Amino acid sequence: MFRFIIVCIIVIGYLILSIPILIGEWFVGKQNKRKKDISSLRIIQAVFRLILKVTGADITIIGHERVPKDQAVLYIGNHRSYFDILLTYVLCPDTTGYIAKKEMEPIPLLSNWMKYLHCLFLDRKDIKEGLKTILTAIDEIKKGVSICIFPEGTRNKHDSELEMLPFHEGSFKIATKTNCPVIPIAIHNSAEIFEAHLPKIHPCRVVVEYGEPIYPEQLSKDEKKHLGSYTRNVILEMLKKNQHL
């Protein structure tokens, strides 16, 4: 319970104390948008690293060198925990926006930082608004901003992480319309940090593996049409492989 309290203090305390930083970053962005994007990224990465350290999680990273550093990519991961965002965001080499649920947008200060970081809010109940979010994500990729999405649509609460929910194929239009590489991410055992022990945070072993980039234009017509299923299978194989870890 102690770790949970400390994490809450860090999150709430940072959001309150960061108001001057938000203002400062706004002024920086007026002069140099790229500089503001990178400084906001590094600030939040530092906060996330601190939170992960408090959890006591033993984190093993595999294959991060496979992520292209010279272009925007679409990160695709399985989703079992709120900590999946922290685990992957600290490893983003450049500006990356996450697609989050619309319900997070009204949260003051948090949503301000998310917008600074190019995060997009997806209305899962409105197909038309959801399409607008995907089109915005496509524009972000074209501008050089990577996008990360968990295409199961919500946290998978099955007993086994191998029982992934179906991937929403619409998310993959971000890649097929821009020809950016898809980076599959297999996150193993992250639910053991928090969700499996609510409300306690429990130190555990977590494995995050980055697969080989998937280039849509190199796939067959059928594989490209069902890119979601194709990527899901790639992630599933990585999860199976890392169970022994």
Side-chain angles (χ1 to χ4, degrees):
M1 195 66 179
F2 176 74
R3 293 177 190 271
F4 174 74
I5 294 171
I6 295 299
V7 167
C8 289
I9 291 173
I10 292 173
V11 173
I12 296 171
Y14 175 76
L15 288 176
I16 295 172
L17 296 175
S18 70
I19 294 174
I21 302 176
L22 274 170
I23 296 171
E25 288 291 276
W26 182 82
F27 279 110
V28 171
K30 285 294 182 181
Q31 302 298 320
N32 188 324
K33 189 173 184 302
R34 170 66 178 169
K35 184 177 180 181
K36 175 248 186 182
D37 283 347
I38 294 300
S39 60
S40 293
L41 169 70
R42 301 308 178 209
I43 289 168
I44 298 303
Q45 284 180 326
V47 175
F48 282 1
R49 288 192 186 97
L50 175 61
I51 293 172
L52 289 172
K53 187 173 183 179
V54 170
T55 69
D58 178 10
I59 305 166
T60 298
I61 309 298
I62 302 172
H64 188 252
E65 69 281 356
R66 297 167 179 157
V67 179
K69 305 298 189 296
D70 58 349
Q71 66 181 121
V73 304
L74 175 64
Y75 294 103
I76 294 292
N78 61 308
H79 193 25
R80 296 272 290 174
S81 170
Y82 294 118
F83 282 92
D84 294 336
I85 298 164
L86 283 70
L87 289 163
T88 53
Y89 197 73
V90 296
L91 295 169
C92 293
D94 209 327
T95 310
T96 303
Y98 277 53
I99 294 185
K101 57 186 179 181
K102 185 75 172 178
E103 290 81 357
M104 297 183 72
E105 191 171 14
I107 302 175
L109 299 178
L110 176 61
S111 63
N112 293 95
W113 274 110
M114 292 177 73
K115 289 172 183 177
Y116 272 21
L117 299 168
H118 294 263
C119 291
L120 304 174
F121 299 95
L122 179 67
D123 189 337
R124 295 173 293 182
K125 300 176 182 178
D126 189 323
I127 295 176
K128 186 176 180 180
E129 288 301 312
L131 178 58
K132 287 182 181 179
T133 301
I134 296 300
L135 292 174
T136 302
I138 290 171
D139 286 339
E140 291 282 16
I141 290 281
K142 291 178 179 178
K143 294 174 184 175
V145 177
S146 294
I147 293 293
C148 180
I149 189 168
F150 301 108
E152 289 172 279
T154 187
R155 284 184 299 114
N156 178 5
K157 299 175 184 178
H158 286 150
D159 291 336
S160 171
E161 64 187 4
L162 300 183
E163 298 179 60
M164 284 188 291
L165 302 172
F167 281 12
H168 294 287
E169 293 286 347
S171 308
F172 291 84
K173 290 186 182 297
I174 299 169
T176 56
K177 295 296 185 182
T178 61
N179 280 325
C180 75
V182 174
I183 308 299
I185 310 175
I187 308 169
H188 177 67
N189 210 40
S190 61
E192 285 295 318
I193 297 176
F194 180 57
E195 283 76 8
H197 308 279
L198 291 171
K200 296 180 180 180
I201 288 178
H202 179 71
C204 63
R205 180 79 180 277
V206 177
V207 179
V208 181
E209 180 171 6
Y210 290 75
E212 293 289 347
I214 301 169
Y215 294 90
E217 71 272 16
Q218 295 178 2
L219 301 178
S220 68
K221 185 177 180 180
D222 186 64
E223 288 171 336
K224 187 174 181 179
K225 182 179 179 181
H226 300 98
L227 184 54
S229 296
Y230 181 90
T231 306
R232 183 181 183 276
N233 289 334
V234 171
I235 292 174
L236 180 59
E237 290 305 311
M238 288 193 287
L239 289 172
K240 289 178 179 177
K241 181 189 68 173
N242 292 328
Q243 277 196 308
H244 72 284
L245 297 177

